[in-house]
Amino acid sequence: MDPTWRDDAADDDLDRRWSATLDAFEAAPKVKPLPTSWRLPTLRRSPWARDLNKQQQAAFEAMTTAGGCLVWGEFGVGKTTVVAAAVGAAIEKGHSVLLTAPDERAVDDALTALIGVDPNGQSVLAPGVVVRLPIGAVADAVSDHPALMGDKAAAALVRRDQRLDAIARTEQANRDDPARSSELWLRLRVQEDDKDGGIRRLDEQRVVYDEWLDWTNRRGLLRNEKDEFLASAAATQKTLATYDGADAKVSTLTTDLSSETRQRDSRLRQVQALTAQLDEATRRRAVQQSQLAEIQTLGPEWDEQRAVLGESLDDLNDLIEDLGDALRLPREELAAHEARASSIEQRLDDALSVREARDTVQQRLQDLQREVDIRNLAIRDCEQEMAVRRRVLGDPPAWLEHYQQVDAAGKFSQVHRWEEAAQQVMQLNDELVQLSAQRAKVEDDYQQKWLALPGEALVIAAPLDALVLEDGLANRRFDIVIIDDAGEADAEKVTFAASLANRTCAIVGGPPAPPRDDIEPDLPTEPQPRISAAWPIPSLADLDEQFPWRVQARPAEPEPEPEPEPEPEPNIFALAGITDQLSAEKHPRCIVLTR
């Protein structure tokens, strides 16, 4: 058992699978074939089985039908042919397949048999369908195939070569662009190094001059606005002078109205008091007249009473007449006071209107002054900005005259052409950066697809050791698992591979194959380096003469006898009770291929 291989796998899970598989294979010759837990439509009539003999067709059907089987046969009976046909038929049906063997040779033999063989006239080996995962050398027929190796399949799926070629062509066109190598570019590069007589600097200062001119025009507009506001303010000041004395007039009229109002109120109270007395006397007279009218019809005994009431009525009449005379003057004075108060109120309203107009004019004058102050601040800012640009230009009118002379000579056109060429080169450089990012994206897509292929490809072809070394196969299972040359592999590795099958597992093998002529011994292909000394290496005798005190070497101890090599562990067929053709024919789950 290979400890390195076991360390890479999950020990507990592998031990459990190993025990279960051993129990199943040891019990297989003694019991009837176990029924399958699912059914997969047979591929017996598949065109891939057309050129197979009866034994090979039986093995083909077992490999493509639900359940598990053993295929045993000597070297040269066509086991690899059956394996290739089963893989091709499974690909056409869309079933995932794991094709594995203990060494690279057996895997490559099956793939080589599959290359170029397609009874339907259309290759099933499209990129990403079958992926070969090597851990050592790969046969030339497989490595040279455009779609079997993972790197070539990933490159084809992401169109790596086409995309990189397109990027390379674009990059070459970018480098060949006339803007990079034109005579204009080379000649004007000299002018860039301050050898152009200040033309480029003069051209760049045109923006500063335009700004100075804008600020100058703005200052002129602000000054015009300021002058307009000052003129309006002067006119408003004259208008405001016409309203002098408005406050005094309002104050005088307010005092007169208050005095007249007090007198009017006093006369009003006097009239109201006299009127109340007159009304009371009139009411009493009406009562007494009513009483007198009642007793007029009575007898002489009421004469005295009638005389009293007559005298009282006479007194009331005199009182009413006196009150009427007393009311006449207060009423006249009240009417006069009301007329004067009304006149004063009218004049006061006029005075208030004048004062309100005066306040409006005064507010207008303040607003105009505020606008003038705002224009003064803005003019000061404009002059500061003009001074900043004047420090760059010097004398702006003189600068403009010089600029116009250079412009008339046509020298600016060269600067503009240089700037256009420089801009084109900057754009070309930006395009190169983008192309570099696109190239990195293509390589990233290629790497991601290469890493994902072990988990995505329909068929995985790999040696047994790759099953635990390849991260992409850690949690993957397959519809069909075919293990070729299983008799040459450790039983636990075969068991682990078989445990990845969901529907069908075919274990293929036979007696040890004869040595192949096309396999060369594993010898170094390059000459081994030789050790060269910078001085002659002394012998032991020379060392003894120079260093007599040197400890003499002890006599060599006898070498221990070699331990007997452990007997090889039984392979998967031996564990199932199959050691030769006879035992294979007796096994109920084994199909034997003969010559």
Side-chain angles (χ1 to χ4, degrees), residues 42 111 126 185 222 236 252 346 359 492:
T42 180
L111 292 181
W185 167 257
L222 291 172
T236 305
T252 301
Q346 183 64 38
D359 293 342
E492 67 172 357

PDB file of all heavy atoms in Angstrom, residues 42 111 126 185 222 236 252 346 359 492:
ATOM      1  N   THR A  42     -29.812   0.009 -22.412  1.00  0.00           N
ATOM      2  CA  THR A  42     -28.645  -0.646 -22.996  1.00  0.00           C
ATOM      3  C   THR A  42     -28.248   0.020 -24.299  1.00  0.00           C
ATOM      4  O   THR A  42     -29.071   0.573 -25.018  1.00  0.00           O
ATOM      5  CB  THR A  42     -28.910  -2.123 -23.238  1.00  0.00           C
ATOM      6  OG1 THR A  42     -27.736  -2.707 -23.806  1.00  0.00           O
ATOM      7  CG2 THR A  42     -30.056  -2.327 -24.211  1.00  0.00           C
ATOM      8  N   LEU A 111      -7.525   5.970 -25.267  1.00  0.00           N
ATOM      9  CA  LEU A 111      -7.797   7.231 -25.967  1.00  0.00           C
ATOM     10  C   LEU A 111      -7.300   7.170 -27.403  1.00  0.00           C
ATOM     11  O   LEU A 111      -7.951   7.690 -28.313  1.00  0.00           O
ATOM     12  CB  LEU A 111      -7.131   8.384 -25.222  1.00  0.00           C
ATOM     13  CG  LEU A 111      -7.711   8.724 -23.848  1.00  0.00           C
ATOM     14  CD1 LEU A 111      -6.966   9.906 -23.233  1.00  0.00           C
ATOM     15  CD2 LEU A 111      -9.194   9.048 -23.931  1.00  0.00           C
ATOM     16  N   ALA A 126     -14.805  16.511 -29.079  1.00  0.00           N
ATOM     17  CA  ALA A 126     -14.813  17.976 -29.137  1.00  0.00           C
ATOM     18  C   ALA A 126     -14.107  18.520 -27.897  1.00  0.00           C
ATOM     19  O   ALA A 126     -13.994  17.829 -26.873  1.00  0.00           O
ATOM     20  CB  ALA A 126     -16.250  18.492 -29.207  1.00  0.00           C
ATOM     21  N   TRP A 185       6.253  64.040 -35.670  1.00  0.00           N
ATOM     22  CA  TRP A 185       6.389  63.740 -34.238  1.00  0.00           C
ATOM     23  C   TRP A 185       7.839  63.898 -33.792  1.00  0.00           C
ATOM     24  O   TRP A 185       8.147  64.527 -32.783  1.00  0.00           O
ATOM     25  CB  TRP A 185       5.891  62.320 -33.983  1.00  0.00           C
ATOM     26  CG  TRP A 185       6.246  61.775 -32.633  1.00  0.00           C
ATOM     27  CD1 TRP A 185       7.209  60.888 -32.339  1.00  0.00           C
ATOM     28  CD2 TRP A 185       5.628  62.113 -31.400  1.00  0.00           C
ATOM     29  NE1 TRP A 185       7.244  60.630 -31.000  1.00  0.00           N
ATOM     30  CE2 TRP A 185       6.280  61.375 -30.400  1.00  0.00           C
ATOM     31  CE3 TRP A 185       4.597  62.974 -31.037  1.00  0.00           C
ATOM     32  CZ2 TRP A 185       5.925  61.459 -29.066  1.00  0.00           C
ATOM     33  CZ3 TRP A 185       4.242  63.054 -29.698  1.00  0.00           C
ATOM     34  CH2 TRP A 185       4.899  62.302 -28.740  1.00  0.00           C
ATOM     35  N   LEU A 222     -19.406  96.262 -14.650  1.00  0.00           N
ATOM     36  CA  LEU A 222     -19.693  96.605 -13.259  1.00  0.00           C
ATOM     37  C   LEU A 222     -19.593  98.112 -13.038  1.00  0.00           C
ATOM     38  O   LEU A 222     -20.394  98.704 -12.289  1.00  0.00           O
ATOM     39  CB  LEU A 222     -18.736  95.855 -12.332  1.00  0.00           C
ATOM     40  CG  LEU A 222     -18.945  94.333 -12.243  1.00  0.00           C
ATOM     41  CD1 LEU A 222     -17.817  93.688 -11.463  1.00  0.00           C
ATOM     42  CD2 LEU A 222     -20.288  94.018 -11.590  1.00  0.00           C
ATOM     43  N   THR A 236     -32.721 110.263  -6.644  1.00  0.00           N
ATOM     44  CA  THR A 236     -33.545 109.899  -5.495  1.00  0.00           C
ATOM     45  C   THR A 236     -33.288 110.823  -4.316  1.00  0.00           C
ATOM     46  O   THR A 236     -34.201 111.168  -3.557  1.00  0.00           O
ATOM     47  CB  THR A 236     -33.257 108.436  -5.097  1.00  0.00           C
ATOM     48  OG1 THR A 236     -33.466 107.591  -6.236  1.00  0.00           O
ATOM     49  CG2 THR A 236     -34.158 107.992  -3.978  1.00  0.00           C
ATOM     50  N   THR A 252     -47.629 117.929  14.200  1.00  0.00           N
ATOM     51  CA  THR A 252     -48.525 119.053  14.509  1.00  0.00           C
ATOM     52  C   THR A 252     -49.983 118.676  14.286  1.00  0.00           C
ATOM     53  O   THR A 252     -50.861 118.945  15.138  1.00  0.00           O
ATOM     54  CB  THR A 252     -48.170 120.267  13.642  1.00  0.00           C
ATOM     55  OG1 THR A 252     -46.813 120.652  13.889  1.00  0.00           O
ATOM     56  CG2 THR A 252     -49.080 121.442  13.935  1.00  0.00           C
ATOM     57  N   GLN A 346     -58.268 114.605   7.604  1.00  0.00           N
ATOM     58  CA  GLN A 346     -57.960 114.563   6.178  1.00  0.00           C
ATOM     59  C   GLN A 346     -56.557 115.062   5.907  1.00  0.00           C
ATOM     60  O   GLN A 346     -55.789 114.460   5.145  1.00  0.00           O
ATOM     61  CB  GLN A 346     -58.981 115.413   5.420  1.00  0.00           C
ATOM     62  CG  GLN A 346     -58.793 115.379   3.916  1.00  0.00           C
ATOM     63  CD  GLN A 346     -59.020 113.997   3.335  1.00  0.00           C
ATOM     64  OE1 GLN A 346     -59.907 113.279   3.783  1.00  0.00           O
ATOM     65  NE2 GLN A 346     -58.195 113.628   2.350  1.00  0.00           N
ATOM     66  N   ASP A 359     -40.503 107.686   3.036  1.00  0.00           N
ATOM     67  CA  ASP A 359     -39.830 106.463   3.513  1.00  0.00           C
ATOM     68  C   ASP A 359     -39.485 105.529   2.344  1.00  0.00           C
ATOM     69  O   ASP A 359     -38.419 104.902   2.328  1.00  0.00           O
ATOM     70  CB  ASP A 359     -40.726 105.739   4.513  1.00  0.00           C
ATOM     71  CG  ASP A 359     -40.903 106.539   5.806  1.00  0.00           C
ATOM     72  OD1 ASP A 359     -40.085 107.436   6.051  1.00  0.00           O
ATOM     73  OD2 ASP A 359     -41.870 106.259   6.543  1.00  0.00           O
ATOM     74  N   GLU A 492      -6.896  -1.345  -3.312  1.00  0.00           N
ATOM     75  CA  GLU A 492      -7.582  -0.226  -2.663  1.00  0.00           C
ATOM     76  C   GLU A 492      -7.769   0.948  -3.625  1.00  0.00           C
ATOM     77  O   GLU A 492      -8.758   1.668  -3.561  1.00  0.00           O
ATOM     78  CB  GLU A 492      -6.809   0.227  -1.430  1.00  0.00           C
ATOM     79  CG  GLU A 492      -5.467   0.837  -1.728  1.00  0.00           C
ATOM     80  CD  GLU A 492      -4.841   1.452  -0.476  1.00  0.00           C
ATOM     81  OE1 GLU A 492      -5.482   1.451   0.578  1.00  0.00           O
ATOM     82  OE2 GLU A 492      -3.719   1.937  -0.603  1.00  0.00           O
TER      83      GLU A 492
END
